Amino acid sequence: MCSCDQVGCAVPRFLVAFISVLLAVPSLSGTYAQESSPAPAGKTAPAKQVSEIKLGYLRAYAPQLALSVLDVPPRNEGVAGAEVAIGDNNTTGRFLGQKYTLDVSEVKPDADVAPAFNDMVSKGVLYILADLSATQLLSIADLARDKGILIFNVGAPDDRLREEDCRANVFHTAPTRTMLADGLAQYLIWKQWRRWVLVYGSHEPDKLFADALRRAATRFGGEIVAEKEFTDTGTARRTDTGVVQIQRQMPVFTQGFPDHDVLLVADESEVFGTYVPFRTWIPRPVAGTAGLIPSAWHPASEQWGGTQIQNRFAKANGRRMLSKDMAAWTAARIIGDAATRTQSADPEKLAAFIRADDFSIAAFKGQRLTFRKWNWQLRQPIFLGDGRSVVSTSPQEGFLHQVSELDTLGIDQPETQCKLK
């Protein structure tokens, strides 16, 4: 038998609690009925205010060819990343009375973007993700500043947008060419591969990336022992350059170079770079825009929670995330995070929050990312990978900095020419 201490003495307390609940039921029922009854005629309960935060994605687009059909950019490159971020923002926003939308507008490369910009502004867009050339972006930067609109550069790697042509209302989530080149150079120096041959294309972007590689060699102790330009003759890639012809051309083109550790390729224009690996006169690793490629993101990245964003992105788009997708996602999330924490849709308040000393954003890259105050470039690691996997990430071990190791990538504050306006 159970003792009174175990059971019997607990019964009265149980009965008291049970009776109290029974007595409370009518009161609760009445309260519920009162809350669920319709409002008197002519009166409605006040609706919760929803603040709509409109983002625009302004892109210069035209179908592009690539030397490999596997490298043809997806039709929604960049836009897809922004759309995933809009979904992420709305997940939180619906509890805070915020609604995020995205308006996408396309123009031809090198076309006048002012009409498309003005059309977005007329729709109430206050934040623009710009996937434009440097010239196009600059054409609207001052217009946006005068209208109180913030621009996030998600596509242009040009250093001049962060230097002599910098603007106070333009934030950059895409890395610069110098950041990409420095990330690659650090790894090559860490591997003790110090002697480089540089081959570069004849188009302006190719030459700009070649300049960034030269600067990286000087900065980190690499030596460019030879250079050679590959001139684009304008031949049709698919009809005039068969495999046999390429197999004969590349060894001859790379013949006669002095002894070197790595062959660097600067071919942003996709004219010859993909044909270089495994076709050089002497067997050497290839890096740059072919072979080992530096980038803001890698589709195979799974570290630091990368699997989470990759899976969500793939579920929504049926493909893996690319660098421009990540730059756009990061920009839209910065806006969402700032709006959430300030409880505002005012660009002035959001800009002040983003520019604050304690601002940072998480972007699946191993650390929280911050903006450089002297040119509003987002500090971020650089991925180094081939077509299958991530080989490494920079900054590399041993490359130190008094403020942030991420400032070993790209133009540092003592070097900057930026005067924000």
Side-chain angles (χ1 to χ4, degrees):
M1 295 179 61
C2 297
S3 67
C4 177
D5 291 339
Q6 292 174 308
V7 177
C9 296
V11 171
R13 288 194 294 270
F14 171 77
L15 288 175
V16 170
F18 182 71
I19 292 170
S20 299
V21 170
L22 290 177
L23 292 174
V25 167
S27 176
L28 290 172
S29 300
T31 301
Y32 176 78
Q34 182 179 3
E35 292 177 348
S36 60
S37 60
K43 294 183 179 181
T44 57
K48 185 177 181 180
Q49 293 292 327
V50 175
S51 175
E52 185 173 4
I53 301 173
K54 297 181 179 181
L55 282 67
Y57 193 105
L58 183 54
R59 70 187 305 217
Y61 176 81
Q64 298 180 34
L65 289 176
L67 295 181
S68 168
V69 293
L70 300 180
D71 294 330
V72 175
R75 181 66 177 82
N76 63 347
E77 183 184 19
V79 175
E83 290 174 340
V84 171
I86 291 295
D88 295 342
N89 289 349
N90 279 323
T91 298
T92 304
R94 68 171 57 100
F95 297 104
L96 301 174
Q98 294 175 336
K99 178 183 177 182
Y100 297 83
T101 60
L102 183 70
D103 182 68
V104 180
S105 181
E106 293 183 354
V107 297
K108 297 289 185 181
D110 300 324
D112 181 10
V113 297
F117 167 80
N118 289 327
D119 182 60
M120 279 188 168
V121 173
S122 69
K123 297 176 183 177
V125 170
L126 297 176
Y127 307 93
I128 291 181
L129 278 57
D131 183 5
L132 304 167
S133 70
T135 300
Q136 288 174 317
L137 193 152
L138 286 172
S139 72
I140 62 171
D142 294 339
L143 293 175
R145 180 194 58 206
D146 295 341
K147 296 177 182 294
I149 292 170
L150 299 182
I151 295 177
F152 290 79
N153 170 28
V154 303
D158 302 70
D159 283 86
R160 72 183 180 105
L161 290 176
R162 291 83 163 172
E163 294 302 310
E164 60 268 26
D165 291 326
C166 63
R167 296 292 189 274
N169 63 317
V170 180
F171 298 89
H172 308 273
T173 57
T176 63
R177 289 187 177 93
T178 54
M179 292 171 67
L180 298 172
D182 287 353
L184 175 60
Q186 285 190 14
Y187 179 74
L188 299 181
I189 296 300
W190 183 82
K191 288 289 292 178
Q192 299 296 312
W193 298 340
R194 295 178 178 273
R195 292 174 59 84
W196 309 337
V197 163
L198 172 61
V199 294
Y200 56 93
S202 56
H203 296 279
E204 185 64 19
D206 312 330
K207 294 178 180 180
L208 290 173
F209 188 55
D211 287 341
L213 291 169
R214 294 185 190 102
R215 173 186 173 278
T218 301
R219 191 180 195 194
F220 298 112
E223 181 184 4
I224 297 178
V225 298
E227 296 187 14
K228 192 171 184 180
E229 179 179 301
F230 188 100
T231 304
D232 184 4
T233 58
T235 56
R237 306 175 200 191
R238 294 180 179 176
T239 59
D240 297 334
T241 54
V243 172
V244 174
Q245 185 178 359
I246 296 163
Q247 188 166 320
R248 291 176 178 173
Q249 281 183 341
M250 276 303 152
V252 174
F253 179 76
T254 57
Q255 186 179 8
F257 289 136
D259 185 44
H260 57 282
D261 299 315
V262 181
L263 193 149
L264 299 181
V265 175
D267 178 37
E268 290 188 19
S269 304
E270 274 283 304
V271 172
F272 72 97
T274 301
Y275 296 149
V276 177
F278 304 105
R279 295 187 175 99
T280 55
W281 183 262
I282 57 176
R284 290 294 183 269
V286 174
T289 59
L292 184 65
I293 301 174
S295 60
W297 183 250
H298 195 285
S301 178
E302 295 181 318
Q303 290 182 296
W304 310 303
T307 300
Q308 179 198 67
I309 185 66
Q310 296 274 28
N311 288 345
R312 285 194 289 116
F313 184 89
K315 183 178 180 180
N317 297 284
R319 61 174 178 83
R320 304 288 284 183
M321 199 173 200
L322 302 177
S323 290
K324 194 175 289 185
D325 296 313
M326 175 51 78
W329 181 90
T330 303
R333 283 294 298 125
I334 287 171
I335 297 167
D337 189 56
T340 296
R341 294 179 183 274
T342 60
Q343 281 293 282
S344 172
D346 182 1
E348 288 190 10
K349 292 183 179 179
L350 267 64
F353 178 84
I354 295 169
R355 293 180 177 126
D357 291 340
D358 58 351
F359 174 80
S360 63
I361 190 73
F364 306 96
K365 295 183 179 181
Q367 53 190 298
R368 297 186 72 84
L369 311 183
T370 60
F371 280 103
R372 293 170 176 158
K373 290 184 178 297
W374 61 90
N375 60 7
W376 301 124
Q377 169 64 52
L378 187 70
R379 297 179 175 96
Q380 56 191 289
I382 296 300
F383 289 79
L384 305 170
D386 57 13
R388 304 291 297 177
S389 65
V390 177
V391 175
S392 184
T393 56
S394 290
Q396 297 292 319
E397 180 181 358
F399 290 86
L400 305 178
H401 192 276
Q402 64 270 27
V403 177
S404 169
E405 291 180 4
L406 292 174
D407 283 342
T408 64
L409 305 174
I411 296 176
D412 200 2
Q413 187 169 11
E415 309 168 276
T416 187
Q417 301 176 36
C418 175
K419 296 180 180 179
L420 292 167
K421 55 184 179 178

